């Protein structure tokens, strides 16, 4: 089991990347939790909570498809070094303003937008770079699952640490720790030995962009993955952006409570990631997507109705597990069936739908919470998740026919 769980780490480049990300992702979650607490502490506004999250995510919706064109033309390795360096500078700026007590809400909004722009380049680059770091193509699904495993270990550890750091040292130190954590992944990238890849040679950017969208939306399986991953991401961001309200106003806690609640989501996601990383077969993950929608809906409904911390932690554990299974299975499925010559463009479109739905969900969450309350907003998103589960289940036989046909041609089990 252990050998199967970590088989992608046999690849030297992926092992370096995994090690660097193990440190950097914890820093990113520390900053994310501190940012949401700082915004709510300064403004006490659910709308500004949603607006800040909106600005940090909306660039994915507009920039990611164009990023994909450049990913098929240039070195993803060099692009990652650049984006990680700029993300480090963004965190340093945020920490400096906060530590000197000169931070204002417009600073937070601007820096959130800058973060979003950088991530709109960084995220699709990392997604499509995985296959270049893994020496054995059969280890691709394991590498994707390990990425999620790492992400969710960080989500379990980072927010919990952040909650206590905010209480002891303030938000500024959290931002500084994140800035320093980027050094780990930058050093790892510099030590990699990357083989030259065959890059797309074309002078017509619009034609390349159109070709990427045509490929994605004429491919029925990819089209449905994009639709449902965007819905999953939207519902997940609705409850995520409202977490400070549940921690402070409903459960009557402080930043430590916010950290523990976010950590419970990471704990559930971690269990799901371990399960998927240990799977030796790709076949069957299409069914997991359907079930995970339903259990995510149940988790959200339970969380919205809870007034007890321990029951809330249980509900968030289920929710985190479900949304993680949904996202990783969707990512693995789409990467397993697409062609390499359009990988950068398709994965950028995937990021556009996955991450581009987050700002919409964040804004809707903040807006709805203002008018109908945070509890009703999360309850409604849970009900919609269950409806999506039924719709996906109806379409599953048709999708499975296409998926297994491709798997058989590629020799995928």
């Amino acid at each position: 089991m252990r050998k199967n769980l970590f088989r992608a780490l046999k690849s030297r480049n992926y092992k370096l990347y995994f090690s660097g990300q193990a440190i950097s992702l914890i820093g990113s979650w520390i900053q994310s939790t501190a940012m949401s607490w700082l915004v709510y502490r300064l403004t006490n506004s659910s709308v500004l909570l949603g607006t800040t999250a909106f600005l940090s995510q909306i660039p994915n919706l507009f920039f990611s498809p164009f990023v994909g064109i450049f990913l098929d033309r240039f070195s993803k390795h060099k692009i990652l070094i650049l984006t990680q360096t700029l993300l480090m500078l963004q965190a340093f700026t945020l920490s400096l303003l906060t530590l000197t007590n000169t931070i204002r809400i417009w600073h937070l909004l601007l820096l959130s937008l800058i973060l979003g722009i950088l991530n709109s380049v960084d995220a699709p680059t990392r997604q499509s770079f995985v296959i270049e770091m893994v020496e054995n193509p059969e280890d691709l699904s394991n590498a994707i699952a390990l990425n999620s495993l790492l992400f969710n270990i960080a989500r379990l550890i980072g927010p919990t640490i952040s909650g206590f750091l905010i209480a002891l040292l303030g938000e500024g130190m959290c931002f500084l720790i994140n800035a320093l954590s980027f050094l780990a992944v930058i050093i790892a990238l510099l030590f990699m030995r990357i083989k030259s890849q065959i890059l797309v040679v074309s002078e017509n950017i619009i034609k390349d962009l159109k070709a990427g969208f045509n490929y994605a939306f004429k491919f029925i399986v990819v089209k449905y993955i994009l639709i449902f991953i965007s819905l999953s991401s939207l519902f997940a961001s609705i409850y995520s952006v409202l977490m400070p309200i549940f921690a402070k106003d409903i459960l009557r806690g402080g930043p430590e409570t916010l950290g523990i609640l976010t950590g419970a989501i990471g704990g559930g996601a971690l269990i799901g990631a371990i399960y998927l990383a240990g799977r030796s077969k790709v076949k069957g993950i299409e069914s997991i997507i359907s079930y995970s929608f339903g259990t995510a809906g149940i988790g959200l409904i339970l969380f919205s109705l809870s007034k007890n911390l321990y029951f809330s932690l249980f509900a968030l554990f289920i929710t985190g597990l479900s949304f993680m299974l949904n996202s990783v299975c969707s990512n693995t499925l789409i990467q397993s069936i697409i062609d390499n010559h359009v990988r950068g463009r398709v994965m950028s479109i995937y990021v556009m739908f996955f991450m581009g739905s987050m700002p919409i969900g964040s804004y809707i969450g903040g807006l709805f919470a203002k008018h109908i309350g945070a509890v009703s907003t999360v309850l409604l998103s849970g009900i919609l998740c269950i409806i999506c589960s039924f719709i996906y289940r109806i379409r599953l036989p048709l999708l499975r026919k296409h998926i297994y046909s491709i798997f058989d041609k590629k020799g995928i089990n």
Side-chain angles (χ1 to χ4, degrees):
M1 173 67 178
R2 183 183 176 187
K3 182 179 179 181
N4 192 52
L5 183 63
F6 296 103
R7 61 186 184 276
L9 293 180
K10 292 182 294 184
S11 301
R12 178 183 179 275
N13 288 334
Y14 185 76
K15 186 187 296 184
L16 282 168
Y17 174 81
F18 188 88
S19 302
Q21 284 288 92
I23 299 172
S24 181
L25 282 174
I26 292 175
S28 296
W29 274 107
I30 289 174
Q31 173 167 307
S32 177
T33 306
M35 173 69 91
S36 64
W37 186 261
L38 178 61
V39 171
Y40 197 57
R41 178 174 65 81
L42 292 178
T43 67
N44 206 39
S45 168
S46 63
V47 173
L48 281 173
L49 262 179
T51 303
T52 305
F54 177 86
L55 290 173
S56 69
Q57 298 159 348
I58 192 62
N60 288 290
L61 188 61
F62 297 105
F63 295 154
S64 292
F66 294 96
V67 172
I69 298 172
F70 292 97
L71 293 182
D72 289 329
R73 293 165 177 250
F74 301 104
S75 167
K76 301 177 185 67
H77 180 232
K78 292 179 181 178
I79 293 173
L80 271 181
I81 293 173
L82 176 61
T83 56
Q84 291 292 307
T85 302
L86 293 175
L87 284 166
M88 179 175 66
L89 293 176
Q90 186 270 354
F92 268 127
T93 303
L94 186 57
S95 67
L96 180 63
L97 289 171
T98 307
L99 289 171
T100 57
N101 203 30
T102 56
I103 194 75
R104 298 292 181 269
I105 190 62
W106 73 267
H107 292 143
L108 294 172
L109 295 174
L110 177 61
L111 287 168
S112 293
L113 179 61
I114 292 172
L115 177 66
I117 293 171
L118 294 174
N119 278 331
S120 71
V121 179
D122 186 75
T125 307
R126 284 188 286 107
Q127 294 281 353
S128 55
F129 187 54
V130 173
I131 197 168
E132 294 184 28
M133 292 185 286
V134 177
E135 296 167 8
N136 186 350
E138 293 182 358
D139 292 335
L140 176 62
S141 62
N142 179 252
I144 295 171
L146 285 180
N147 281 352
S148 294
L149 175 64
L150 194 60
F151 179 85
N152 289 294
I153 289 175
R155 180 159 62 173
L156 178 63
I157 298 172
T160 305
I161 294 174
S162 184
F164 288 99
L165 284 176
I166 294 169
L168 292 173
L169 303 173
E171 299 92 349
M173 287 302 299
C174 293
F175 303 144
L176 180 60
I177 289 170
N178 180 45
L180 295 173
S181 73
F182 280 106
L183 292 172
V185 71
I186 293 171
I187 292 170
L189 287 166
L190 291 173
F191 274 90
M192 286 185 185
R193 294 195 291 265
I194 302 297
K195 295 180 182 179
S196 299
Q197 298 289 317
I198 298 175
L199 303 174
V200 174
V201 179
S202 173
E203 296 180 357
N204 195 325
I205 293 178
I206 301 301
K207 183 179 178 181
D208 288 346
L209 180 63
K210 184 179 178 180
F213 273 97
N214 285 339
Y215 179 93
F217 285 97
K218 288 182 179 180
F219 198 154
I220 187 170
V221 180
V222 174
K223 180 174 70 173
Y224 271 92
I225 292 173
L226 293 176
I227 292 171
F228 281 98
I229 196 63
S230 66
L231 291 171
S232 172
S233 179
L234 186 144
F235 297 137
S237 59
I238 286 176
Y239 88 94
S240 296
V241 76
L242 300 177
M243 292 294 286
I245 298 176
F246 279 87
K248 184 179 179 181
D249 299 338
I250 296 175
L251 297 174
R252 305 298 179 186
E256 301 93 336
T257 305
L258 175 61
I260 294 170
L261 289 174
T262 311
I265 301 170
L270 176 60
I271 297 301
I274 292 173
Y275 164 70
L276 290 178
R279 280 177 58 94
S280 58
K281 294 184 178 181
V282 179
K283 286 184 177 180
I285 61 174
E286 71 282 350
S287 296
I288 296 175
I289 296 173
S290 173
Y291 294 124
S292 62
F293 256 120
T295 53
I298 292 171
L300 288 174
I301 291 171
L302 293 176
F303 177 64
S304 69
L305 299 175
S306 174
K307 299 294 187 295
N308 178 273
L309 176 61
Y310 297 105
F311 192 76
S312 294
L313 293 174
F314 170 72
L316 289 176
F317 182 89
I318 294 174
T319 305
L321 169 66
S322 303
F323 279 123
M324 200 290 312
L325 290 175
N326 192 293
S327 64
V328 174
C329 288
S330 298
N331 191 319
T332 302
L333 188 56
I334 201 170
Q335 292 237 43
S336 298
I337 61 177
I338 61 176
D339 297 323
N340 283 332
H341 74 280
V342 290
R343 185 171 299 275
R345 278 167 286 176
V346 173
M347 291 313 298
S348 293
I349 295 170
Y350 173 86
V351 169
M352 180 187 77
F353 275 77
F354 179 54
M355 299 186 70
S357 298
M358 292 180 182
I360 298 173
S362 297
Y363 191 76
I364 289 174
L367 194 63
F368 272 46
K370 180 181 179 181
H371 294 287
I372 65 174
V375 171
S376 298
T377 301
V378 175
L379 177 63
L380 177 62
S381 64
I383 294 170
L384 292 174
C385 269
I386 293 175
I387 293 174
C388 285
S389 176
F390 283 115
I391 295 173
Y392 185 90
R393 195 69 189 171
I394 293 171
R395 304 300 295 170
L396 189 56
L398 173 63
L399 298 177
R400 185 180 284 125
K401 179 181 177 181
H402 289 277
I403 292 166
Y404 283 14
S405 174
I406 297 169
F407 283 177
D408 291 341
K409 290 178 181 178
K410 291 188 174 186
I412 297 174
N413 295 318

